Amino acid sequence: MDARGKKRKSRRGRRRRKALQHQHPEAPEEEQTTESTTPSQPPHPKRRRMDAAPNSTNRPSFLDKMRVRLSGGHFRMINEKLYTCNGNEAFNLFKNDPQLFDVYHAGYQEQMSHWPEQPVNIIIRWLKSHSTSLIVADFGCGNASLAKNVKNKVFSIDLVSSDPSVIVCDMSHTPLDNSSVDVAVFCLSLMGTNFPNYLQEAKRVLKPRGWLLIAEVQSRFDPGNGGADPDKFCEAINKLGFSLVSKDSTNKMFLLFYFKKKEKISEVRNIEWPELKPCIYKRR
């Protein structure tokens, strides 16, 4: 081949390389053939993990799940203990370890969040429909939401509390004076095996014609499933010195009883109290 032919071949080679560069301007010249002949590679593992990261942050970690499970387990144990011991034992339990009370109430609030209606809200509405001059004793007040939502003077009573407004004591022995309150409230708080002693204390502190309001879980009054007969329960409270004004069983989760203290009470000994079925939460 003469010099003129070599020159033409060289020009054709340069034109071919320029055409390839035009198609892949970002790639270096020597990589063009491999780029066009090898199949596309999967994304780099690091990039794949980074892409998945935003979704993984929305999922609870294993430790978070374990904390929830442990917290729920502690609540169930404490709850069962409160239903199967007397008030003095429960008082000493929380006195020796006040943190247990926080664990219990955190679990209690979580359980209540699933209820379509809160019994304490019904009692709050009832109080708001009556005179604000009525003095109230809230037995087993929890976080004292009753006192925080009405204008009445409320004595909030419970086994332990960090709130200085709450009277800390065994509910069967309160520091309230005889015949000093107009309304006694038990909202899901007849838990101890000696619950009749709590009602006896309510009778002591209530004025004649004073109100006794009781809200309790429906299952505790289901005779067909091991619960107490609600009629026998009302009969026992009648013998204690109260008259049943009304009973609200419209809510599927709880019953509401409205009693009034009799003006003249004949002392009845050896009242036969029905056993209230403990409200034990199943493990989820």
Side-chain angles (χ1 to χ4, degrees), residues 234-252:
C234 292
E235 182 182 340
I237 293 183
N238 180 271
K239 290 178 179 179
L240 183 63
F242 293 87
S243 299
L244 178 66
V245 177
S246 65
K247 180 179 74 173
D248 182 358
S249 57
T250 57
N251 193 286
K252 68 177 183 178

Side-chain angles (χ1 to χ4, degrees), residues 199 203 212 230-245 259-262 264-268 271 273:
L199 297 170
K203 170 190 168 184
L212 171 64
D231 293 333
K232 290 184 178 180
F233 177 74
C234 292
E235 182 182 340
I237 293 183
N238 180 271
K239 290 178 179 179
L240 183 63
F242 293 87
S243 299
L244 178 66
V245 177
F259 296 94
K260 263 199 168 184
K261 184 179 176 180
K262 299 174 183 176
K264 294 183 179 180
I265 299 174
S266 55
E267 193 70 28
V268 178
I271 298 174
W273 290 94

Side-chain angles (χ1 to χ4, degrees), residues 198-225:
Y198 306 158
L199 297 170
Q200 181 71 45
E201 180 68 357
K203 170 190 168 184
R204 180 186 72 80
V205 303
L206 274 171
K207 300 174 184 177
R209 305 286 297 167
W211 288 92
L212 171 64
L213 275 54
I214 299 174
E216 269 302 334
V217 181
Q218 278 268 17
S219 62
R220 304 192 76 191
F221 294 96
D222 181 6
N225 196 30

Side-chain angles (χ1 to χ4, degrees), residues 63-158:
L63 286 176
D64 290 336
K65 291 179 181 177
M66 287 303 297
R67 288 190 190 100
V68 170
R69 184 172 294 181
L70 287 171
S71 178
H74 288 158
F75 163 72
R76 285 189 293 272
M77 287 192 305
I78 299 167
N79 182 73
E80 184 171 350
K81 177 67 175 176
L82 293 177
Y83 274 106
T84 55
C85 72
N86 62 45
N88 187 56
E89 290 174 317
F91 178 69
N92 288 327
L93 174 71
F94 289 130
K95 184 179 179 181
N96 293 333
D97 191 351
Q99 288 186 346
L100 291 179
F101 196 74
D102 297 330
V103 173
Y104 171 74
H105 271 283
Y108 173 83
Q109 292 298 330
E110 197 279 331
Q111 292 290 335
M112 289 296 100
S113 68
H114 301 291
W115 285 28
E117 177 71 272
Q118 303 293 317
V120 68
N121 292 334
I122 296 177
I123 295 172
I124 287 169
R125 290 197 294 269
W126 185 91
L127 282 170
K128 287 183 175 180
S129 69
H130 290 71
S131 173
T132 57
S133 65
L134 296 178
I135 300 172
V136 182
D138 185 8
F139 287 80
C141 66
N143 59 3
S145 62
L146 186 63
K148 294 171 184 175
N149 287 279
V150 296
K151 295 181 180 179
N152 306 67
K153 179 176 178 56
V154 179
F155 293 106
S156 300
I157 303 165
D158 216 324

